[in-house]
Structure formats: structure tokens, C-alpha cells
Amino acid sequence: MNDHIRRNMPLFPISIVKKLTELSARQIRYYEEHGLIYPSRTEGNQRQFSFNDVDKLLEIKTLIERGVNLSGIKEIFELRADQEKEKPAAALKNTEGMSDKELRRHLQKEVMMAGTQGRSSMIQGQLSRFFH
């Protein structure tokens, strides 16, 4: 099971999420009503939250504490979603027309730069073995 599946798996009832986030049940339901989170539902219609839902609630709480209103939070989340959609397309555009050798050199540079900038990742660990 990969990390993406694990982080999106609905595991927590609202009582646990309340303790983890220090938000009230009403606040959590309010954020759901406004489309900021989308918890799953059991057959009995109880909310089940994932790790990503909890992370998002904590981020909402932090933004509220910094004075960002609900429409501002929605805008931030929409901009982030748009950027995530554009990332793969932009990365592919940059590599169109590259030879295999140029593509390998580009990937090697990206992997090595990630390590020097403190952005090491599992992908870097897996790919770096091809470039040594």
C-alpha cells in the first residue's frame, strides 16, 4: 500500500478528529458544509476522516488564527489545486523534443539539486542510484 492511499484512507471518527485538531464538531461540520473537506461516510452515515482531512483541518485552523477568512482559505486551496494540476503538464512541456541522453541529464540534475536544497525524497533515493 503506497503512502497516497494510506493518507486518504478514512479511519477516524469525528470524536478523534476533535481531539487531534482541537476543533469543535460544529466547526468541523461547518468546514465540510463549505466544501473545504470531504470526509467519507459509513453505511450508518457517520463521518470518517483521513490523515489528509486532519492535515487540512489543522491548516484551516492555522489560517483562521492568522486572520484569513473562509473565502480567503477557499481561494488558497483553489490556487493550490490549480498549481498541482499544472505541474505535470509544465514538466512534460520542458522535456518535449529531448533526446534520451538529454532527458537523463535533466533528471540527474533535478535529483541532485533536490538533495543540495534539502528537498530529499524517496524518489531521489530511488533514482540517484542510476546516476552514480
Side-chain angles (χ1 to χ4, degrees):
M1 179 181 311
N2 69 27
D3 192 48
H4 177 73
I5 293 171
R6 192 176 294 115
R7 293 200 56 77
N8 285 304
M9 189 179 298
L11 299 170
F12 307 111
I14 199 164
S15 60
I16 300 296
V17 174
K18 285 175 25 182
K19 290 178 185 176
L20 292 170
T21 62
E22 298 179 340
L23 293 170
S24 69
R26 179 68 196 123
Q27 288 172 304
I28 295 168
R29 288 191 303 269
Y30 181 78
Y31 300 141
E32 179 186 9
E33 289 169 15
H34 286 277
L36 294 173
I37 57 169
Y38 302 95
S40 297
R41 298 286 183 142
T42 65
E43 289 181 18
N45 207 28
Q46 293 180 335
R47 291 171 181 83
Q48 292 286 301
F49 297 86
S50 67
F51 284 110
N52 284 339
D53 292 328
V54 172
D55 287 343
K56 204 165 197 181
L57 286 167
L58 290 170
E59 184 176 6
I60 291 167
K61 181 180 176 187
T62 300
L63 290 169
I64 297 266
E65 288 171 352
R66 291 183 177 180
V68 180
N69 63 18
L70 201 59
S71 61
I73 293 171
K74 286 181 182 180
E75 186 71 25
I76 290 168
F77 287 169
E78 287 172 9
L79 288 172
R80 188 179 299 150
D82 290 345
Q83 288 175 347
E84 291 298 319
K85 289 178 188 174
E86 291 173 5
K87 272 185 184 178
L92 288 176
K93 268 187 195 175
N94 293 338
T95 60
E96 286 178 12
M98 284 185 161
S99 69
D100 285 346
K101 188 174 183 176
E102 291 170 327
L103 185 56
R104 284 177 74 66
R105 193 174 307 123
H106 176 73
L107 285 172
Q108 179 180 12
K109 181 180 171 188
E110 289 294 318
V111 169
M112 296 307 162
M113 289 300 292
T116 61
Q117 295 175 354
R119 297 181 317 184
S120 62
S121 68
M122 187 166 57
I123 293 173
Q124 178 188 358
Q126 292 173 356
L127 289 178
S128 64
R129 63 186 168 150
F130 293 109
F131 302 116
H132 288 357

